[in-house]
Amino acid sequence: MTDSWTVAGRTFTSRLIVGTGKYKNFEQNAAAVEASGAEIVTVAVRRVNISDPSQPVLMDYIDPRRVTYLPNTAGCFTAEDAIRTLRLAREAGGWDLVKLEVLGEAKTLYPNMKETLRATEVLANEGFLPMVYCTDDPIASKQLEDAGAVAIMPLGAPIGSGLGLQNQVTIRLIVEGAKVPVLVDAGVGTASDAAVAMELGCDGVLMNTAIAEAKDPVMMARAMKLAVESGRLAYLAGRMQKRRYADPSSPLAGLI
């Protein structure tokens, strides 16, 4: 069975999206992407070189003909900065499928939802297809969807924290209420966190630090690939019901 997912009319088989920051070099990043099986990489337009030929260029290592580039607005703290950044990305590479994040402040890197919603509306009206980083709030998620978000990307925990999913209840509520893909973005620390996100019914998981800061990033990328696949299979299979008391695997009736 081919288990694919679609965002803004584009279909992918890998449900793992990986970042391109914090690696020691582009070679290591490319090796991790290969091991992860990811078909999408997210690129911080303000931090990763994608256009200056006088410096190492990411495209020389991760082929945009094989892997979809998802420009993002990491480091933007106002709607205006985020919109300007993505306009520049479209001019540089023709990208319209983008990842929007507008941060509230530097300590927590939590989204500023007022600015995020405003930027989503503007970008959608300009023909962008924004996948939007947001709080794990079902109401805010629905507002973003109504504003034109093509995917909802709630945080599992603060960016780069590695704490894992802190509120499974609200993530599940977002999944149940959304008509667009839902992907956990931020907070994943290890493979079990990725599996949990998928078991909740998320369409995918985006991560960067969990792979890039592992002692062996390429090995961790492979672990994340398997965790996402395993979590997805568990979700499709349908887990057993939780019980308050024991229930024997072998029947008690008919014992000798």
Side-chain angles (χ1 to χ4, degrees):
M1 180 183 67
T2 299
D3 178 41
S4 61
W5 67 288
T6 301
V7 57
R10 307 172 197 198
T11 300
F12 303 93
T13 55
S14 171
R15 294 175 179 271
L16 175 59
I17 300 176
V18 298
T20 52
K22 299 187 177 182
Y23 292 91
K24 67 179 183 181
N25 52 45
F26 284 155
E27 289 91 345
Q28 185 186 66
N29 193 173
V33 170
E34 186 70 24
S36 74
E39 297 170 302
I40 304 175
V41 294
T42 183
V43 181
V45 178
R46 302 177 70 179
R47 296 173 181 165
V48 177
N49 182 30
I50 55 175
S51 59
D52 182 1
S54 67
Q55 301 293 327
V57 180
L58 181 64
M59 284 110 153
D60 291 338
Y61 298 86
I62 300 174
D63 187 350
R65 294 170 299 182
R66 295 180 56 241
V67 179
T68 296
Y69 275 51
L70 185 67
N72 73 46
T73 57
C76 292
F77 290 85
T78 66
E80 285 75 17
D81 279 350
I83 293 165
R84 185 184 313 114
T85 297
L86 292 177
R87 286 171 178 164
L88 291 171
R90 183 157 65 180
E91 289 179 13
W95 295 291
D96 56 358
L97 183 63
V98 295
K99 181 195 165 190
L100 171 66
E101 57 182 78
V102 185
L103 305 174
E105 46 82 35
K107 183 177 180 180
T108 64
L109 299 180
Y110 254 63
N112 180 326
M113 292 309 300
K114 181 179 179 181
E115 293 289 283
T116 298
L117 182 59
R118 187 157 65 90
T120 300
E121 293 173 338
V122 171
L123 291 167
N125 286 333
E126 292 186 5
F128 285 95
L129 303 167
M131 301 172 65
V132 186
Y133 168 67
C134 59
T135 55
D136 55 343
D137 178 348
I139 304 304
S141 296
K142 182 54 66 176
Q143 292 171 338
L144 288 172
E145 188 177 330
D146 293 342
V150 299
I152 304 300
M153 307 181 76
L155 56 81
I159 291 173
S161 67
L163 291 171
L165 276 66
Q166 294 298 294
N167 199 334
Q168 296 183 29
V169 172
T170 52
I171 297 291
R172 187 57 184 265
L173 289 173
I174 291 171
V175 169
E176 290 176 354
K179 296 179 181 177
V180 297
V182 176
L183 302 93
V184 163
D185 177 9
V188 169
T190 190
S192 56
D193 300 329
V196 167
M198 298 307 299
E199 288 170 3
L200 291 173
C202 291
D203 294 277
V205 184
L206 188 153
M207 65 185 73
N208 189 157
T209 307
I211 296 176
E213 290 192 357
K215 291 181 180 178
D216 187 329
V218 176
M219 187 180 294
M220 183 60 81
R222 172 68 173 162
M224 292 299 189
K225 175 181 186 292
L226 297 173
V228 168
E229 292 174 354
S230 178
R232 177 63 179 173
L233 285 175
Y235 172 74
L236 293 175
R239 66 158 292 144
M240 62 168 284
Q241 293 297 312
K242 294 182 179 179
R243 302 183 179 96
R244 294 183 61 190
Y245 303 103
D247 184 48
S249 298
S250 300
L252 296 177
L255 290 179
I256 295 175

